[in-house]
Amino acid sequence: MTLQRQFESALADAFGKVLGEKTDASVVAAADLRFGDYQSNAAMALAKSRRTNPRELAGKVIEALDLGGLGTADIAGPGFINIRVAPETYARHTAELLADERLGVPAIGDGRTVVIDFSAPNVAKPMFVGHIRSTILGDALSRIARFLGFHVIADNHIGDWGTQFGMILYGWKTQLDEAALAEDPVNELVRIYRAINAATKDDPAVRESCKAELVKLQAGDEENLAIWNRCVELSKQGLQKIYDRLDIRFDHWLGESFYNDRLGPLVEEFIEKGLARESEGAICVFASGELPDEQDPFRIQNKEGWQDNPAIIRKADGGFLYATTDLATVEYRVDEWKADEIWYVVGVPQQLHFRQIFDASRRWGKDAGFRHIAFGSILGEDRKVLKTRSGDNVQLADVLDEAVERAGQVIAEKNPDLENAGEIAEIVGIGAVKFAELSQHRLTDYVFAWDRMLALQGDTAPYLQYSYVRIRSIFRKLEGGFDPASAKLSLHEDAEVHLARLLARYGETVPVLLDDHRPNLLANYLLELARAFHSFFEACPVLKAEPEVRDSRLALCELTSRVLEHGLGLLGIRCPERM
RNA sequence: GCGCCCGUAGCUCAGUUGGAUAGAGCACCCGCCUUCUAAGCGGAUGGUCGCUGGUUCGAAUCCAGCCGGGCGCGCCA
């Protein structure tokens, strides 16, 4: 059990004795080490509701408090209860964590099934930097949820059926370069897409031809279906290369096309059940009237007052849309996969869309714990959102290449004799890109800048990886064996105690990451841990210390390297042995 | 017009859900490599947390109103 939970339990008992009834007493890591290791504001909160003096209440609680020798408690200010943990407690706790393969992290998921929808690029287009957020965030959340005991289904809902296929089909038939296709399929698809896209702008005839190709495809024309199939396969192979580099795997790739057959019947079902009706030629889902207007995602207010803001599920021309596919997808995930929760890792602009989908799904009887895990936009230098459609967008593959290139330069400079330099540059460079994304609050918009995303010093993945590397280096130079399982720890130096203090907090940090789906809290924790380690490393020699001190410090090093490697692993970032 | 998000050090950003003297990184300045990897460590400088009120023992955090920025509001995804 984490120290935090032990203190909460002891404090709850003490409050129970004093107040004569069961209460919860939350304990958090102290804001400032001068106040102790942990603090509780429970006395102030409880005194308020009971109209008693908080300091007095805190005093009685401290008298009744039994910390079992883990530490000492005192009162401060208006009624804070501060807990100071004894170094021996940290020493013992560190030894316990070394024997625990979960590193102190409780499994809170309880086997519940959660479907995570992330990345979802369009086929026949490369991934741009804009895709980085959903892809990396979604993967990290998948790893975290899995470790916390959820049954995770990672689903890549690729855009394999959009209207862009009209242009691609027409381009394929009129100007495909077979040699270029063999060389670099995705690039060739992009080339014809762009060429036709440009042509449609000033030639209505081309536009009509594209539309005709799309209609033929949707009607099941064999030739067009075969071309479409080929395009999707080639695109998937291209995407897989990037996912391999990013070390990302999906359990399913059920794209839009997978739900095609369901769309027509779904719309009919919605009409039959009175969930949707015709309006201006289109079939729309409107407000239920069950909610007050201000809570209803299908109603928004404007000059004329409350107005319907429907989700269109069938166009006037009979075509289906984004909302239709998303509803079919919900149905499949709830009925076939028995999803208890569905998380959508999609940008914040689509908030309204998801509120409508979630509400419509519930009224339809397809209920799950829906979560739109929104994130902010990546902006260009002009502070405008990077548009996927504009041609000057930066490709994700180029960002990765540049990151690895820069990491390679640093290695050549600092450690020219390093073996496997190429492989390590890949681990470091890609780690840097991932960490730049994950260390930030997900809702923050940011301007894309090479130097910022590819920084290798300061609060970055390489900083964390470097602390791991320093530890591995110690163990390589260690003569004779060391058995972490039988290590006896005694902590004397401030740097030792502080390192142990942070190691104890890993199990307190990981479970809260999913409260609001924020991996950046883990990034913050890991940076703090690595800072503590680097300070320790400078202040406390390990190999040259007396045998008992040495073993104690080796135990700290061992646990630190395990937590760093594990924590980075939850973010999808690997650790090299040397760098 | 209505809704959502944002405004914190010169720059980029955190801030454990209302706690104590608001923290990191970058940049700048001063120190530290014959001792376990200097992608590092120690120190210095740097803030009216957009503005004004309110709620209370206590507000960067919650509420209201302004100012500034981003995004979204019927047949794209």
Side-chain angles (χ1 to χ4, degrees), chain A residues 90-112:
Chain A
Y90 281 131
R92 206 162 49 240
H93 198 67
T94 303
E96 285 168 19
L97 291 175
L98 273 169
D100 178 9
E101 62 183 20
R102 290 193 59 85
L103 299 168
V105 181
I108 58 170
D110 219 16
R112 271 173 299 156

Side-chain angles (χ1 to χ4, degrees), chain A residues 324-399:
Chain A
T324 330
T325 315
D326 267 3
L327 287 168
T329 306
V330 167
E331 177 185 43
Y332 188 84
R333 289 169 177 172
V334 170
D335 290 350
E336 300 298 318
W337 287 343
K338 310 295 179 203
D340 295 305
E341 299 186 29
I342 306 178
W343 299 352
Y344 294 84
V345 187
V346 182
V348 72
Q350 298 189 45
Q351 187 198 55
L352 180 61
H353 166 75
F354 281 113
R355 284 178 62 198
Q356 293 178 332
I357 294 296
F358 298 164
D359 189 75
S361 296
R362 288 193 192 102
R363 279 153 54 195
W364 186 24
K366 310 292 177 191
D367 205 354
F370 296 113
R371 276 294 310 237
H372 175 206
I373 300 170
F375 50 83
S377 308
I378 300 185
L379 313 174
E381 299 290 352
D382 55 357
R383 295 206 68 87
K384 298 277 189 202
V385 178
L386 286 176
K387 294 281 186 219
T388 314
R389 307 190 179 200
S390 75
D392 51 29
N393 210 323
V394 180
Q395 289 196 23
L396 183 50
D398 293 337
V399 175

